[in-house]
Amino acid sequence: MADKSHPRPNRPALALHVPEPPFRPGDTPDFSSIKVPAAGEAPRPDIAADAEATFPLCTHLVRVLDEQGRAVGPWDPKLDADTLRKMLKDMKTVRVFDDRMYRAQRQGKTSFYMKCTGEEAIAIAAATAMDPEDMHFPTYRQQGLLVARGYPLETMMCQIYSNRGDPLQGRQLPIMYSDKKHGFFSISGNLGTQYPQAVGWAMASAIKGDSRIAMGWIGDGATAEGDFHSAMTFAAVYQAPVILAVVNNQWAISSFSGIAGAEQATFASRAVGYGIAGLRVDGNDALAVYAAVQWASERARTNNGPTMIEFFTYRAEGHSTSDDPTGYRAKGEAEEWPLGDPIARLKAHLVTLGEWDEERDAALDKEIDTTVRAAQKDAEKLGILPQQGFDDIPSMFEDVYSETPWHLAEQRDQALAEAREFLGRDPA
Ligand SMILES: Cc1ncc(C[n+]2csc(CCOP(=O)(O)OP(=O)(O)O)c2C)c(N)n1
């Protein structure tokens, strides 16, 4: 047998490529290498186009809003002013909600929070473009779906505080909402699960002869999970009526998108390899997001197959309240991000149309601030997280089995005994 301990002469030594983000703390971010095509440039194929025909759009970027805030090109969804204003209001509401809940976490009122700053257009415009009966399988950064569908802000906050108003009874990590009525499937802490679930739900909808479609959501980092690939296979094989969104915000906590393969190919281009239509979309352009989701919805609804949409965006803040991005990425990246701020861009569009002005904008900001504060006040009347410690301990062990198994009964009694000992009285 050949001696493998010595490299063979005259052959290059094998090496691996380990992706490194272009900028680290201390560097000056410069995104000039990112190609940003002009708004209006991308063609809009027929909704029944072959998956393969969408390939050029997987390396391009569907954009509608130009630098002056005008809507241009074949993807312009030509929305009426009321719809545009509602989207602006919802996006601003999400940002204010995020800021107040972030602060609430810092004040010790809850244990955890996750913002979606810079990504507000994606969930809001997607929800606006789909039917209210369609089902979403979101990750933790699509709070905009609930806001756009009119879910009460106070109930979202009660979930974050795990208080008496929490419909999930404190059984989920803060921000992991669930609401069937609003077509919002329970968020899972295990990344990737929502993709096969969305495909399965969409297949079931088709098997039942229903007309509702599903949309599954995933982050760039989580596309490296096996669930992503099995979902794509099922969606392609059965031509499931589903839209599969990849929110490429460049970061997966401290790992940059290159670790999930972004250096080699765009996430959108993976779609075509499976036989799925793919679109790569400016995620900071609410109109482009709307138009792409509308296109994919029509395609799914008319049995023309699934679509995977990569929303190209930037996670403007930390991953969560437990994260400090200054430890791994350069300062000022969000400001340098070439696609701008989605809220400012939609506002500029409305102003350009003559349907908005600074006075109305300031009044809207005030109204949202008042609404969010009022919701927070009401939610806090039902308790904040640190006050929940000994509330209704037995409920932790309910609602899974019709009859509590002996080992859970034992744990429940033990928990009650410990609480009794700690409090010096029976827990509430
Ligand atoms: C299966 C699994 N692996 C790892 C984690 C830990 N984790 C939570 S969020 C996260 C980053 C996900 O990044 P990405 O998918 O890009 O979404 P983003 O947070 O950027 O929206 C990781 C690794 C997890 N929750 N589940």
Side-chain angles (χ1 to χ4, degrees):
M1 247 167 69
D3 178 1
K4 291 190 180 150
S5 62
H6 299 292
R8 287 176 291 177
N10 304 326
R11 307 246 180 140
L14 298 173
L16 293 177
H17 167 66
V18 181
E20 258 301 311
F23 313 109
R24 284 293 196 190
D27 294 339
T28 305
D30 172 8
F31 292 121
S32 54
S33 63
I34 294 180
K35 279 192 223 124
V36 181
E41 211 182 80
R44 186 182 189 276
D46 188 86
I47 54 149
D50 285 345
E52 211 175 313
T54 64
F55 192 70
L57 289 161
C58 296
T59 51
H60 205 83
L61 204 56
V62 174
R63 305 180 75 227
V64 172
L65 292 173
D66 72 8
E67 304 308 313
Q68 284 75 43
R70 289 175 308 214
V72 293
W75 286 92
D76 175 7
K78 302 201 185 329
L79 297 176
D80 61 72
D82 284 342
T83 305
L84 293 170
R85 280 190 287 258
K86 160 92 165 55
M87 288 207 294
L88 182 70
K89 182 177 179 182
D90 288 345
M91 285 163 63
K92 281 175 177 264
T93 301
V94 169
R95 191 165 290 182
V96 173
F97 183 96
D98 274 0
D99 282 339
R100 291 219 64 85
M101 289 297 98
Y102 183 91
R103 203 178 308 185
Q105 192 277 340
R106 289 297 190 251
Q107 291 167 338
K109 292 174 178 172
T110 187
S111 55
F112 184 72
Y113 192 71
M114 298 179 96
K115 291 176 147 193
C116 67
T117 315
E119 302 174 34
E120 294 90 346
I122 301 169
I124 296 291
T128 311
M130 287 176 76
D131 286 354
E133 299 80 24
D134 293 332
M135 188 73 185
H136 286 278
F137 291 77
T139 80
Y140 40 73
R141 250 183 261 285
Q142 279 82 53
Q143 52 267 57
L145 296 174
L146 286 174
V147 171
R149 285 182 164 185
Y151 190 72
L153 300 181
E154 185 191 329
T155 314
M156 289 172 77
M157 289 169 174
C158 288
Q159 197 283 329
I160 293 163
Y161 291 142
S162 303
N163 67 12
R164 289 191 297 285
D166 172 11
L168 309 181
Q169 301 181 47
R171 289 164 176 166
Q172 275 270 50
L173 188 75
I175 65 98
M176 299 217 167
Y177 319 102
S178 170
D179 193 82
K180 193 174 179 179
K181 204 173 119 223
H182 289 81
F184 191 96
F185 194 78
S186 312
I187 299 176
S188 163
N190 303 322
L191 297 177
T193 49
Q194 61 284 358
Y195 245 46
Q197 287 164 350
V199 175
W201 192 97
M203 287 171 66
S205 188
I207 290 165
K208 287 188 279 194
D210 204 332
S211 58
R212 291 173 297 164
I213 61 169
M215 184 160 182
W217 296 80
I218 205 164
D220 48 285
T223 62
E225 289 279 341
D227 275 358
F228 170 81
H229 304 280
S230 36
M232 294 291 281
T233 304
F234 268 82
V237 169
Y238 297 102
Q239 292 289 287
V242 68
I243 305 171
L244 294 163
V246 175
V247 180
N248 175 10
N249 65 8
Q250 316 302 318
W251 290 94
I253 315 185
S254 54
S255 294
F256 87 118
S257 57
I259 290 289
E263 287 177 341
Q264 277 69 33
T266 67
F267 292 99
S269 63
R270 275 151 229 212
V272 176
Y274 287 97
I276 292 177
L279 300 173
R280 189 163 175 269
V281 175
D282 177 347
N284 293 16
D285 176 341
L287 296 194
V289 174
Y290 183 102
V293 174
Q294 186 185 46
W295 186 90
S297 301
E298 278 178 38
R299 183 175 173 88
R301 246 182 258 294
T302 50
N303 290 315
N304 280 297
T307 305
M308 193 252 253
I309 310 176
E310 173 185 351
F311 295 111
F312 196 63
T313 185
Y314 185 81
R315 195 196 75 206
E317 300 208 22
H319 172 73
S320 71
T321 46
S322 313
D323 178 42
D324 174 11
T326 62
Y328 55 81
R329 69 182 188 188
K331 254 199 201 129
E333 282 196 7
E335 294 72 32
E336 286 303 312
W337 184 245
L339 300 179
D341 174 12
I343 294 181
R345 286 176 68 189
L346 184 56
K347 176 186 159 189
H349 177 53
L350 273 158
V351 171
T352 308
L353 291 177
E355 295 286 353
W356 202 241
D357 54 47
E358 289 304 331
E359 206 176 309
R360 279 196 272 184
D361 200 63
L364 178 63
D365 285 346
K366 209 162 156 217
E367 180 197 324
I368 292 169
D369 191 60
T370 307
T371 306
V372 176
R373 278 173 194 272
Q376 188 175 6
K377 210 167 155 198
D378 288 343
E380 289 180 7
K381 281 186 198 146
L382 297 172
I384 54 174
L385 186 69
Q387 298 163 348
Q388 310 307 317
F390 299 100
D391 263 9
D392 201 7
I393 287 172
S395 78
M396 271 196 286
F397 300 91
E398 292 163 2
D399 296 341
V400 175
Y401 298 97
S402 57
E403 274 175 45
T404 311
W406 66 267
H407 66 288
L408 289 186
E410 210 173 84
Q411 286 177 32
R412 177 197 59 208
D413 296 344
Q414 222 171 8
L416 279 168
E418 280 185 29
R420 215 172 279 128
E421 196 181 316
F422 181 81
L423 296 168
R425 58 170 172 80
D426 272 345

